[in-house]
């Protein structure tokens, strides 16, 4: 792997131990994946999670004198000031959250605490090389925007932000962005939830291959639809790049999606029947619930409006909590337009800057929750709360009744 003289000097420690560590990591990654060289990036997104390992790595670089030459945006952790009004956490949990915020602030990250940077806080151009972590963000920037990022970890994305470079391999190269196989979709895919279930189906089939989707019925995905599709394809599989023929920027035609090579016949056909079967396999739980949790990935302002519409003035059951995790700017807008206050009167609370996978939610564990996101269910179940997955309208009805039929 080629390194310039300056890159070699950084690797030898001439610019401090922090930069040296970051360069060691990028160099090792490059060697592992046969990268020809490092390439410059002007954007990075770091999936800090407040977990010990991510915080340790950031402290290691900072204590070695490194700061970010490319200020990365950051994933959420949790809003300690707001959520401790509602939930008990231990001193250790609180200390870790505050230590995490503090060290990322000092290394020069932009503390956006938002898991959909491509929707507003950090939007790359078509063809731009970037280093993004967060499993839902990479398929969005690659597939929907046509920017170029590997599936970075929080560790490698921070190293890229410190050095301003990333190894040139994988999804940065034309050949690795092409479609690997074709899926025909002959189903009604209408809202975000449908796109999420479709993504979950596609992820299981694709693994880490690049799927090309050809739709038999007209679809018009929104930004939120792309986001939920990619989030779920990266949960059931490891999809970081996809094409939708006639829709996504690198697939104006099916031939373009396969790089001009022979277009293969469809390996799979996904119909309403397959989507329903997938949904049924994900969503069998019913019964009394203690929580509805939405916003994995973070809800946008339009999705908050949709929640209000579905409640139609009705209230959340007295023994059920209803939490929406949203982009901080969507929460701010909701506050300014009194949407937040109106929803609170119905028993719906929203919080910015916060992930579903944090210790502040532990008081709900042991009883059934409901969400519209398979990704949310996957992560919460690992922490001890079973979750049913339903479309948004059903989540709202369940909240009103306090149970899921
Ligand atoms: Fe966002 Fe956390 Fe879900 S980072 S996508 S709310 S797991």
């Amino acid at each position: 792997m080629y390194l310039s003289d300056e890159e070699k000097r950084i690797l030898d420690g001439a610019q401090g131990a922090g930069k040296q560590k970051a360069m060691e990591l990028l160099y090792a990654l490059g060697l592992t994946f046969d990268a020809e060289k490092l390439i410059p990036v002007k954007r990075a997104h770091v999936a800090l999670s407040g977990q010990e390992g991510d915080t340790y790595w950031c402290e290691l670089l900072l204590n070695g004198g490194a700061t970010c030459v490319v200020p990365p945006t950051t994933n959420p952790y949790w809003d300690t000031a707001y959520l401790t009004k509602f939930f008990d956490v231990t001193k250790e949990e609180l200390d870790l959250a505050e230590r995490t915020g503090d060290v990322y602030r000092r290394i020069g990250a932009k503390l956006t605490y938002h898991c959909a940077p491509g929707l507003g806080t950090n939007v790359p151009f078509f063809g731009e090389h970037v280093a993004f972590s967060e499993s839902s963000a990479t398929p969005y920037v690659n597939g929907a925007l046509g920017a170029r990022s590997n599936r970075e970890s929080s560790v490698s994305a921070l190293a890229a932000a410190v050095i301003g470079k990333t190894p040139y391999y994988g999804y940065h190269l034309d050949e690795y962005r092409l479609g690997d196989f074709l899926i025909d979709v002959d189903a009604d895919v209408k809202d975000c939830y449908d796109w999420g279930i479709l993504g979950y189906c596609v992820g299981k089939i694709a693994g880490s291959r690049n799927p090309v989707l050809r739709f038999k019925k007209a679809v018009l995905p929104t930004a939120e639809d792309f986001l939920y599709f990619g989030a779920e394809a990266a949960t059931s599989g490891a999809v970081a790049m996809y094409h939708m023929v006639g829709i996504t920027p690198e697939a104006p035609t099916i031939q373009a999606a396969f790089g001009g090579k022979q277009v293969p016949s469809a390996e799979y056909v996904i119909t309403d029947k397959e989507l329903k079967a997938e949904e049924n396999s994900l969503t069998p739980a019913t019964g009394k619930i203690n929580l509805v949790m939405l916003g994995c990935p973070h809800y946008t302002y339009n999705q908050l409006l949709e929640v209000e519409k579905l409640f139609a003035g009705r209230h959340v059951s007295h023994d059920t909590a209803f939490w929406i995790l949203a982009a901080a700017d969507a929460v701010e807008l909701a506050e300014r337009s009194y949407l937040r206050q109106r929803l609170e009167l119905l028993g719906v609370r929203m919080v910015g800057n916060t992930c579903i996978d944090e210790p502040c939610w532990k008081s709900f564990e042991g009883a059934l929750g409901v969400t519209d996101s398979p990704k949310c269910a996957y992560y919460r179940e690992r922490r001890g709360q079973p979750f049913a997955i339903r479309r948004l309208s059903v989540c709202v009805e369940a909240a009103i009744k306090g149970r899921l039929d």
Side-chain angles (χ1 to χ4, degrees), residues 153-323:
S153 66
S154 49
V155 169
S156 63
L158 186 62
V162 160
I163 301 295
K165 292 180 181 175
T166 194
Y168 189 45
Y169 73 95
Y171 297 106
H172 293 288
L173 303 168
D174 291 346
E175 68 217 76
Y176 290 99
R177 302 180 63 77
L178 298 176
D180 290 319
F181 72 110
L182 180 63
I183 299 178
D184 275 335
V185 182
D186 190 3
D188 281 319
V189 188
K190 293 183 294 291
D191 58 20
C192 225
Y193 178 81
D194 295 329
W195 282 97
I197 298 292
L198 176 63
Y200 202 86
C201 242
V202 167
K204 275 169 79 174
I205 295 168
S208 58
R209 296 183 296 162
N210 299 345
V212 177
L213 277 69
R214 179 169 60 185
F215 291 87
K216 298 290 181 188
K217 297 179 184 167
V219 289
L220 198 58
T222 62
E224 291 89 348
D225 296 337
F226 281 123
L227 186 64
Y228 274 64
F229 171 83
E232 303 311 342
T235 298
S236 61
V239 173
M241 176 67 196
Y242 59 83
H243 300 278
M244 296 180 185
V245 178
I247 299 170
T248 53
E250 290 172 62
T253 62
I254 193 163
Q255 288 76 16
F258 287 101
K261 290 187 225 144
Q262 170 90 30
V263 174
S265 47
E267 209 172 283
Y268 290 88
V269 180
I270 297 178
T271 65
D272 289 318
K273 196 170 139 223
E274 277 74 34
L275 291 185
K276 194 70 209 162
E278 189 63 60
E279 186 183 0
N280 289 343
S281 76
L282 283 168
T283 61
T286 54
K288 187 164 166 42
I289 60 167
N290 70 350
L291 171 67
V292 174
M293 180 172 254
L294 308 173
C296 173
H298 279 174
Y299 259 30
T300 61
Y301 183 77
N302 286 345
Q303 290 172 295
L304 297 176
L305 280 177
E306 180 67 16
V307 172
E308 185 187 37
K309 199 166 107 196
L310 289 167
F311 266 96
R314 296 169 299 163
H315 290 247
V316 175
S317 168
H318 69 279
D319 51 2
T320 304
F322 196 115
W323 279 94

Side-chain angles (χ1 to χ4, degrees), residues 3 14 18 25 36 46 59 68 101 157 215 270 291 310 312 323 336 386:
L3 290 183
L25 187 121
E36 172 197 331
V46 178
E59 286 172 340
C68 295
F215 291 87
I270 297 178
L291 171 67
L310 289 167
W323 279 94
R336 215 181 288 168

Side-chain angles (χ1 to χ4, degrees), residues 106-175:
R106 286 192 291 132
I107 206 166
K110 287 186 205 160
L111 300 179
T112 49
Y113 296 139
H114 180 213
C115 44
L119 252 62
T121 48
N122 198 353
V123 186
F125 298 112
F126 178 81
E128 184 178 353
H129 295 277
V130 300
F132 274 31
S133 54
E134 166 50 38
S135 62
S136 65
T138 39
Y140 186 85
V141 300
N142 279 317
L145 301 182
R148 297 181 172 221
S149 178
N150 282 320
R151 281 166 57 89
E152 302 293 348
S153 66
S154 49
V155 169
S156 63
L158 186 62
V162 160
I163 301 295
K165 292 180 181 175
T166 194
Y168 189 45
Y169 73 95
Y171 297 106
H172 293 288
L173 303 168
D174 291 346
E175 68 217 76

